[in-house]
Amino acid sequence: MAYNEQYGRYVGMVEETLQALLPEGGAVGPKDGEIPEHLRASMRYSLLAGGKRVRPVLLLAACEMLDGNLEEARVPAAALEMIHTYSLIHDDLPGMDDDDYRRGRPTNHRVYGVGHAILAGDGLLNYAYECLLQNALSYPLNLEGHVKAAAAMAGCAGVRGMIAGQSLDLLSEHMEPDADRLAYIHKHKTADLMTAPLLAAGHIAGADGEKMKALARFGACVGLAFQIDDDLLDLEGDAKLLGKQTGMDAKRGKMTWPSLVGAEAAREKAHALWRQAEEALACFGEKAWFLHAFAVALATREK
Ligand code: GRG
């Protein structure tokens, strides 16, 4: 199967699962046991706005590469996209980056107000773990694999992972660029949530220690390269294609690789990381064809 076709197949599974977990509707007035309509609408607004679905695709692809059961991985993949979407909604809030556009449309708080944008993010985060745990219970023969996957995802998204990176990112605005600090921010703010799907897939599919290490290395390199490219796109990319405003990092005084070493050196660093990502796949042989193609596609992305 060709790469684009396979990517489309994985995205189809993700969209179908997200729609099934959070369908339209909801109680108009107060009704026990249902998600209130307005809360549901604000959650769906951002979740179903058509992101690239990079993280859930990584989870499904890694699971399939490891001969895991793809059906078991559907809900964890969708849950990870919920966690990612919550982080984008909160990142766009006035108290953080105060952005007006995301995924080609007005940000959540511009449509639903700040209060409901906070709740939509909180809702997606909590619902992600509810779905993960319910899914784990429905696979009693692989309960340990699913609990380990959920724990890995929580660790990567949590207070030593993505939230820690975001905290340092906020605190570093308008500071002199510093390589160690920037490396920490990128590792946690971005790369941890790229490592999460690979670790989760490894646990669900029962990968051995050597393969877990390779998966973690691939995720870390992809995440770091992805973030440098994101910084370069903010500097040089097309806002229409990106579906969000550009030039915002400089405006906010964000610490980025281009601000630290210049655009050309940042591009070289990203290339080196993409190469390292591909090298990390060696132990999977030909089975890693999709992840190789994925790295190539992301390395040349325009959005
Ligand atoms: C609020 C706890 C908390 C964390 C926010 C995700 C994030 C951390 C900040 C968003 C800003 C940013 C540049 C993050 C780096 C990761 C990144 C490039 C996110 C955008 O991910 P894509 O490109 O977006 O996969 P789509 O819309 O395609 O899903």
Side-chain angles (χ1 to χ4, degrees):
M1 195 183 280
Y3 172 74
N4 285 342
E5 206 181 322
Q6 182 76 312
Y7 197 93
R9 173 175 160 249
Y10 291 139
V11 169
M13 285 178 72
V14 174
E15 301 298 337
E16 195 183 291
T17 311
L18 289 173
Q19 289 283 358
L21 292 171
L22 198 60
E24 251 180 296
V28 176
K31 193 166 176 202
D32 286 343
E34 286 203 26
I35 306 174
E37 189 197 25
H38 197 71
L39 175 61
R40 179 189 292 262
S42 60
M43 291 162 72
R44 282 176 54 88
Y45 176 79
S46 295
L47 185 64
L48 303 169
K52 294 182 290 294
R53 310 309 197 196
V54 165
R55 297 153 192 82
V57 165
L58 269 177
L59 200 157
L60 295 173
C63 186
E64 197 159 47
M65 175 182 80
L66 296 162
D67 294 322
N69 178 352
L70 214 46
E71 280 309 308
E72 287 189 30
R74 256 181 195 272
V75 170
L80 189 61
E81 186 64 19
M82 289 184 204
I83 295 170
H84 167 59
T85 305
Y86 119 76
S87 80
L88 297 180
I89 296 173
H90 281 191
D91 187 65
D92 290 336
L93 284 169
M96 296 217 191
D97 278 0
D98 196 9
D99 272 315
D100 293 332
Y101 290 96
R102 171 71 70 182
R103 292 180 165 170
R105 46 163 79 181
T107 43
N108 197 294
H109 65 274
R110 292 272 172 233
V111 178
Y112 290 93
V114 170
H116 258 87
I118 294 172
L119 291 176
D122 293 343
L124 286 167
L125 178 61
N126 278 275
Y127 192 49
Y129 289 110
E130 185 181 335
C131 293
L132 267 179
L133 294 173
Q134 289 293 353
N135 187 62
L137 291 173
S138 63
Y139 292 104
L141 295 181
N142 194 11
L143 188 62
E144 191 181 334
H146 281 279
V147 170
K148 283 183 172 170
M153 284 164 66
C156 289
V159 289
R160 291 178 204 83
M162 179 178 69
I163 296 174
Q166 179 75 350
S167 171
L168 263 284
D169 185 58
L170 277 182
L171 292 171
S172 306
E173 286 180 4
H174 304 292
M175 260 188 195
E176 252 332 277
D178 170 88
D180 287 344
R181 197 172 178 97
L182 189 56
Y184 177 95
I185 292 171
H186 285 190
K187 178 172 177 212
H188 296 295
K189 180 178 91 165
T190 309
D192 280 352
L193 218 60
M194 293 283 188
T195 307
L198 295 149
L199 297 181
H203 288 305
I204 292 168
D208 64 23
E210 187 207 350
K211 287 188 171 145
M212 289 302 286
K213 263 196 196 152
L215 291 166
R217 171 122 183 100
F218 177 72
C221 293
V222 166
L224 293 173
F226 188 83
Q227 180 59 62
I228 298 175
D229 287 346
D230 204 66
D231 292 346
L232 287 164
L233 287 170
D234 183 73
L235 199 66
E236 306 166 342
D238 177 339
K240 264 207 190 112
L241 266 180
L242 289 165
K244 62 181 183 183
Q245 295 145 287
T246 51
M248 300 308 281
D249 291 340
K251 232 183 203 168
R252 290 187 195 109
K254 286 264 183 210
M255 215 182 269
T256 65
W257 281 108
S259 74
L260 181 72
V261 296
E264 227 19 75
R267 224 183 309 281
E268 275 166 29
K269 190 169 173 60
H271 285 158
L273 283 161
W274 285 118
R275 265 197 312 278
Q276 287 165 29
E278 291 211 53
E279 283 160 19
L281 296 172
C283 67
F284 303 110
E286 289 188 359
K287 286 195 148 206
W289 73 270
F290 181 87
L291 293 185
H292 276 288
F294 175 94
V296 170
L298 275 197
T300 51
R301 78 189 164 110
E302 291 184 336
K303 62 177 189 165

